[in-house]
């Protein structure tokens, strides 16, 4: 499959405009759906804590600088979020084995349990929302969203 990076044809511009609109709506509706969902499972973690715990669960312990870089956030923002998460017992700080002066952050069992509860609730929610979609359509959506996220991540790294 060839990739047309476009020369700015009217069709290309219209398609890119549709993509921009749909992504904007996806972000707005996703957040509105999360806030409006009646189950407490969705509210046991705020969005920032959920994203941090998901990343730490998959990537392993990290220092604040690495975490901030990965999440494309300012270090002071991550430090505040991590401090709040530590107060709530969601993460633990331990000495950095590579640099004894620093610390690394890792999820606690309580943090992982709360993250798993939110993830399960979100998975059920999307199962309900996409109940009328075929398995192939769900797979295609997952693949395309993954490709979009990879492209966004690559763009972030190249800047």
């Amino acid at each position: 499959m060839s990739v047309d990076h476009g020369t700015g044809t009217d069709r290309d511009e219209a398609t890119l405009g549709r993509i921009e609109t749909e992504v904007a709506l996806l972000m707005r509706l996703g957040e509105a759906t999360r806030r409006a969902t009646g189950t407490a499972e969705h509210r046991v973690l705020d969005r920032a804590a959920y994203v941090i715990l998901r990343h730490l669960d998959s990537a392993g312990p990290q220092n604040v600088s690495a975490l901030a870089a990965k999440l494309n956030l300012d270090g002071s923002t991550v430090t505040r979020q991590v401090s709040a998460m530590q107060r709530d017992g969601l993460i633990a700080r331990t000495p950095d084995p590579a640099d004894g002066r620093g610390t690394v952050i890792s999820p606690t069992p309580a943090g992982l349990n709360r993250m798993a509860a939110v993830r399960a609730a979100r998975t059920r929610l999307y199962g309900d929302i996409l109940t009328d979609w075929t398995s192939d359509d769900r797979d295609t959506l997952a693949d395309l969203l993954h490709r979009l996220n990879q492209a966004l991540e690559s763009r972030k790294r190249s800047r």
Side-chain angles (χ1 to χ4, degrees):
M1 174 166 103
S2 69
V3 176
D4 178 14
H5 292 287
T7 56
T9 67
D10 289 344
R11 182 169 184 229
D12 291 338
E13 291 298 316
T15 299
L16 293 172
R18 286 179 49 218
I19 291 168
E20 184 281 327
T21 298
E22 296 301 331
V23 169
L25 286 171
L26 175 66
M27 291 188 298
R28 183 182 62 78
L29 291 169
E31 182 60 20
T33 299
R34 185 191 66 80
R35 283 193 317 267
T37 299
T39 63
E41 293 165 307
H42 289 271
R43 294 189 180 91
V44 298
L45 286 174
D46 67 28
R47 183 177 49 201
Y50 179 73
V51 169
I52 289 170
L53 287 167
R54 288 288 307 263
H55 175 68
L56 291 173
D57 184 41
S58 66
Q62 308 240 310
N63 65 35
V64 169
S65 297
L67 193 56
K70 176 62 181 171
L71 300 177
N72 203 28
L73 294 170
D74 182 73
S76 63
T77 300
V78 173
T79 298
R80 281 192 304 276
Q81 291 168 338
V82 163
S83 293
M85 291 171 70
Q86 186 175 15
R87 281 191 305 274
D88 292 342
L90 303 174
I91 58 100
R93 292 180 196 247
T94 56
D96 186 338
D99 176 5
R101 297 169 295 171
T103 60
V104 292
I105 293 99
S106 56
T108 63
L112 291 174
N113 286 338
R114 285 167 83 177
M115 181 203 67
V118 171
R119 186 175 188 184
R122 288 179 176 188
T123 299
R124 284 191 304 276
L125 174 65
Y126 283 109
D128 291 345
I129 291 168
L130 301 173
T131 193
D132 294 336
W133 290 41
T134 67
S135 290
D136 285 346
D137 283 349
R138 289 179 185 199
D139 285 339
T140 299
L141 177 62
D143 291 343
L144 291 174
L145 288 171
H146 180 74
R147 281 181 59 197
L148 176 60
N149 283 326
Q150 284 183 317
L152 290 167
E153 186 70 27
S154 291
R155 183 170 178 86
K156 181 184 89 169
R157 281 193 306 263
S158 69
R159 297 219 171 242

